[in-house]
Amino acid sequence: MLKTPAYAALDPASPLVPFTIERREPGPHEVLIDILYCGVCHSDIHQARDGWGGAIFPMVPGHEIVGRVSRVGAQVTRFSVGEAVGVGCFVDSCRQCPSCNAGEQQYCDFGMSGTYNSYERNPDDRRFDKSRPTFGGYSTQITVDQDYVLRIPTALPLDRAAPLLCAGITTYSPLKHFGVKPGDRVAVVGLGGLGHMAVKLAAAMGAEVTVLSTSESKRDDAIALGAKDFAATRDGTVFKTHAMRFDFVVDTVSAPHDYNAYLNLLKVDGTMILLGIPEAPEVVSAGSLIRKRRRLAGSMIGGIRETQEMLDFCAEHGVASDIELIRMDQINEAYERMLRSDVRYRFVIDLGTLRHGTG
Ligand code: NAP
Ligand code: ZN
Ligand code: ZN
């Protein structure tokens, strides 16, 4: 076993603290990765504070991992030592169900093995092994099966690539799946980590993007990120001026808000895609959908094949995340700032600061 420095939440109410975990030596099909950077997703906060329920403690969050391969198992064919690689939101799945067979491991019938706050699997029956919790990227190294590892194209800066492993694929996958095409009018609700990637990716796909934000101060950034239009939502006038205007509404908001107000911004046959996961349910009135034959959909991250496709798309289109690089010991402050919507637009932890004891 390999002693590995990390940061962990020990319970839902306390700040994250330094913590030591053990990583396994890579098995025949596994790689050991030296983690260089890890993005900070709002899901890390929901889970570390047990906002969705069922959290497993101690918890080492982090599922936007970029690093370099430091060791490979005897039968690893896809990666070699020194290569730049990524790990996203899951590290394993059953590998046998229809979703896994379709390359959509995130929808595995038996549940994916999340990169953290989840469990490794028994090799024989592929079921969760509850004695082996998974630990995420707020740590200096991780051991992962090669089939769940992504290749980071050389054109992408490694720190700015880390958020693509969750925020990037979570926004890319539904834009593709629901068929966003050049000229479509897309509203992105919430300009945070997911939102800013949705703007960049939808614009790169040729859509006409409008940002709907509670923060008037993000107007110039929205335009610089690729949006054509921006509207502040706080005073409510946008819900009249922009009614029935959009083909798609991409909702990335992390906190409770009125879905009906945003549904009314859709044209006939428009689709609202929920990506944000508030901690309490919302009421949707049937009329908001029925009146204009609208659809309300959801989408969760993306499979391994599509995540690689997204990384290659980003390299080709010069898309990467706008980040603020932080030391490991700034994580609790970063959480507080994200809860105030004060992030431009993704915090990324420099794990060198944990490895070398400077953070
Ligand atoms: P984030 O960086 O904190 O951004 C969330 C944004 O939502 C904020 O910047 C803010 O934007 C807006 N917002 C916050 N509170 C609001 C409120 N009360 N009313 C209206 N808008 C509000 O978070 P993130 O990392 O992008 O994650 C967003 C959500 O997606 C989280 O719930 C996360 O768990 C979820 N998520 C889902 C998936 C998936 O697979 N579906 C994957 C990753 C994350 P403005 O300042 O512009 O208003
Ligand atoms: Zn995430
Ligand atoms: Zn499966």
Side-chain angles (χ1 to χ4, degrees):
M1 288 304 234
L2 307 160
K3 269 205 181 328
T4 302
Y7 257 57
L10 302 181
D11 61 65
S14 316
L16 274 64
V17 291
F19 188 73
T20 302
I21 57 173
E22 295 201 320
R23 297 298 194 188
R24 58 185 180 274
E25 294 283 353
H29 301 279
E30 291 182 326
V31 299
L32 179 65
I33 300 165
D34 272 342
I35 302 176
L36 299 174
Y37 302 106
C38 184
V40 181
C41 179
H42 208 111
S43 301
D44 299 351
I45 307 179
H46 291 301
Q47 292 177 90
R49 301 190 174 182
D50 200 15
W52 294 334
I56 304 162
F57 293 100
M59 183 191 303
V60 176
H63 58 205
E64 294 185 334
I65 298 171
V66 163
R68 287 195 187 276
V69 175
S70 62
R71 224 178 285 175
V72 296
Q75 283 163 53
V76 168
T77 48
R78 299 185 51 230
F79 298 99
S80 43
V81 169
E83 235 179 305
V85 293
V87 177
C89 299
F90 54 89
V91 289
D92 206 349
S93 60
C94 87
R95 308 181 193 208
Q96 287 156 2
C97 74
S99 295
C100 285
N101 284 334
E104 299 203 300
Q105 300 87 351
Q106 75 277 27
Y107 302 126
C108 176
D109 287 1
F110 300 94
M112 62 183 190
S113 283
T115 302
Y116 68 88
N117 193 23
S118 182
Y119 298 102
E120 306 282 358
R121 299 182 113 85
N122 279 318
D124 34 339
D125 64 2
R126 310 295 311 144
R127 298 294 170 114
F128 289 120
D129 178 350
K130 299 235 163 144
S131 70
R132 293 193 297 148
T134 52
F135 294 120
Y138 299 4
S139 62
T140 58
Q141 56 187 353
I142 187 167
T143 308
V144 185
D145 185 291
Q146 63 169 350
D147 291 342
Y148 292 78
V149 175
L150 289 309
R151 203 175 303 280
I152 307 296
T154 46
L156 292 175
L158 297 184
D159 50 357
R160 298 183 58 206
L164 301 178
L165 276 309
C166 175
I169 185 58
T170 299
T171 49
Y172 179 90
S173 182
L175 293 172
K176 294 286 279 199
H177 181 82
F178 293 104
V180 171
K181 53 186 193 308
D184 281 351
R185 287 184 170 177
V186 176
V188 173
V189 188
L191 196 60
L194 263 57
H196 95 292
M197 288 312 308
V199 173
K200 287 183 185 226
L201 291 167
M205 292 176 192
E208 191 187 302
V209 181
T210 298
V211 168
L212 305 180
S213 170
T214 59
S215 312
E216 173 62 39
S217 62
K218 293 178 181 173
R219 176 182 291 274
D220 292 349
D221 287 352
I223 304 299
L225 289 164
K228 282 264 170 6
D229 194 8
F230 174 95
T233 51
R234 263 198 216 287
D235 72 3
T237 52
V238 65
F239 297 107
K240 293 204 176 91
T241 56
H242 289 52
M244 294 185 298
R245 185 180 173 121
F246 299 104
D247 300 288
F248 295 93
V249 170
V250 179
D251 184 334
T252 74
V253 174
S254 49
H257 56 293
D258 180 11
Y259 290 161
N260 302 290
Y262 292 94
L263 280 167
N264 286 324
L265 302 181
L266 289 171
K267 293 177 181 170
V268 173
D269 284 331
T271 304
M272 175 156 151
I273 306 158
L274 300 181
L275 300 179
I277 315 169
E279 294 177 4
E282 287 296 327
V283 174
V284 175
S285 102
S288 307
L289 298 168
I290 288 168
R291 273 196 303 275
K292 297 280 181 265
R293 200 166 58 196
R294 295 168 174 130
R295 280 169 288 224
L296 179 60
S299 184
M300 184 170 76
I301 47 175
I304 292 293
R305 192 190 314 120
E306 193 173 42
T307 304
Q308 191 62 60
E309 176 188 307
M310 175 276 309
L311 288 166
D312 297 341
F313 177 93
C314 288
E316 192 183 321
H317 289 81
V319 172
S321 178
D322 287 15
I323 65 164
E324 189 175 325
L325 204 58
I326 60 168
R327 297 189 312 270
M328 186 69 256
D329 65 7
Q330 291 176 295
I331 188 62
N332 294 304
E333 183 191 331
Y335 278 13
E336 293 309 318
R337 283 185 53 194
M338 284 171 75
L339 289 166
R340 295 195 298 268
S341 302
D342 175 22
V343 50
R344 301 196 179 209
Y345 279 88
R346 197 57 137 188
F347 293 113
V348 171
I349 304 161
D350 175 356
L351 270 313
T353 63
L354 182 59
R355 190 173 288 109
H356 305 300
T358 52

